[in-house]
Amino acid sequence: LALSGAIMLALSASPVMAGGGEGGSRGGHQCGPSGCIPKFRCKVGKCASNGNDAIITQNGNRNRAFVTQATAYKKFGKHEGRGGLFASYKNDSTIDQKGNRNFAETVQLGAYNDSVIEQNGNRNKASVEQYGKKNDVNIKQKGNRNGADVVQKGYRNDVDIEQRGNRNKADVDQLGDRLTADITQKGNRNLADVNQYCAENDVTIMQNGNRNRAIAWQSDFGNMASIDQKGNRNLANVMQGGSGYMHGPR
């Protein structure tokens, strides 16, 4: 375990996972009327954490990095179940920052989650929250004042974000199973915003230029969205609810 910079880390013994909720199901995940309910809670008295890894490397001035891998209570929103107690077991977090005044934070509650944040430049910000099992996040930012914010709850969700330039912003919120978001932005002041719920939905966003905006919202099962924008001040907005729809750039 190699640590430098600021870090918050707590570890203890192995977790017991349990779940509950209402609504239909697919692939072991329960879907309610307005989203999906995380199933990776643990029972009170049997919630402990161990086997987690955190590596932080920082080169520059006034960079900040925080990693939390611990047993904790998480209260979700009104459409996401009642929340519960989560343990941490064999999660991996790596943060590598070069430059000045960069900020990175990772919170992982659950098991076998993986997070990698790489930032090169000044005043970049990256935040990752993962609750559940076998979720994966990879964020690479090069430039100045870029921002990436990822929240995942569920099982085998995956997010890849690459941003090159200045003042680009990527936000991803995924709640369910096997959800995938892949965002690549090159240029300045581009925005990508992804919200996905339930299972097996996929979004790919590629933006090259300045001040482009891409928004994707998908619920239920098996939806796919692909957005590819080149130039300046383009706007793409995809909203899909239901099973088996596919929508790309027009």
Side-chain angles (χ1 to χ4, degrees):
L1 182 66
L3 302 177
S4 63
I7 180 169
M8 299 184 298
L9 188 61
L11 309 171
S12 57
S14 9
V16 176
M17 300 295 183
E22 299 177 353
S25 65
R26 175 169 172 174
H29 198 92
Q30 297 180 333
C31 286
S34 302
C36 297
I37 301 168
K39 295 185 67 178
F40 299 98
R41 306 182 186 95
C42 54
K43 297 177 182 179
V44 175
K46 295 184 178 180
C47 246
S49 299
N50 70 0
N52 300 295
D53 290 324
I55 299 173
I56 296 175
T57 304
Q58 299 188 127
N59 189 341
N61 301 311
R62 298 194 178 187
N63 296 301
R64 291 186 295 163
F66 300 89
V67 175
T68 302
Q69 296 167 324
T71 302
Y73 182 84
K74 174 64 178 177
K75 185 176 181 181
F76 297 118
K78 62 180 180 180
H79 298 312
E80 301 175 24
R82 64 179 180 270
L85 196 63
F86 284 76
S88 286
Y89 178 69
K90 291 193 175 181
N91 298 296
D92 292 326
S93 176
T94 301
I95 297 172
D96 188 350
Q97 300 191 122
K98 297 180 178 69
N100 303 315
R101 294 180 182 268
N102 296 299
F103 174 87
E105 181 176 22
T106 300
V107 176
Q108 293 176 314
L109 305 179
Y112 302 104
N113 298 300
D114 185 69
S115 173
V116 177
I117 297 172
E118 297 180 19
Q119 299 190 121
N120 190 333
N122 301 317
R123 295 181 183 268
N124 297 298
K125 293 182 179 180
S127 175
V128 174
E129 293 184 43
Q130 298 192 113
Y131 307 95
K133 188 175 181 182
K134 294 186 178 181
N135 297 299
D136 184 78
V137 174
N138 192 343
I139 297 172
K140 294 182 180 179
Q141 299 190 125
K142 187 174 182 179
N144 301 317
R145 295 182 183 269
N146 296 299
D149 190 354
V150 176
V151 179
Q152 296 196 120
K153 311 178 187 80
Y155 175 69
R156 285 192 182 275
N157 299 304
D158 182 77
V159 174
D160 287 292
I161 297 172
E162 182 177 355
Q163 300 190 121
R164 294 177 180 270
N166 302 315
R167 296 182 184 269
N168 296 299
K169 186 75 167 72
D171 292 324
V172 178
D173 192 342
Q174 299 193 138
L175 173 63
D177 295 346
R178 301 182 189 277
L179 303 166
T180 302
D182 191 345
I183 297 170
T184 302
Q185 299 191 122
K186 297 178 182 179
N188 301 315
R189 295 182 184 270
N190 296 299
L191 169 66
D193 190 352
V194 174
N195 288 268
Q196 298 196 103
Y197 304 96
C198 280
E200 298 174 12
N201 296 310
D202 181 86
V203 171
T204 300
I205 295 173
M206 298 181 68
Q207 299 192 120
N208 192 334
N210 301 315
R211 296 182 183 270
N212 297 301
R213 296 179 64 195
I215 300 168
W217 183 93
Q218 298 190 134
S219 66
D220 293 340
F221 305 101
N223 298 294
M224 179 178 177
S226 178
I227 299 170
D228 188 347
Q229 300 190 125
K230 297 180 177 69
N232 302 319
R233 296 182 184 271
N234 296 299
L235 170 64
N237 192 338
V238 176
M239 297 184 68
Q240 299 187 137
S243 300
Y245 293 101
M246 184 172 72
H247 181 68
R250 294 173 182 262

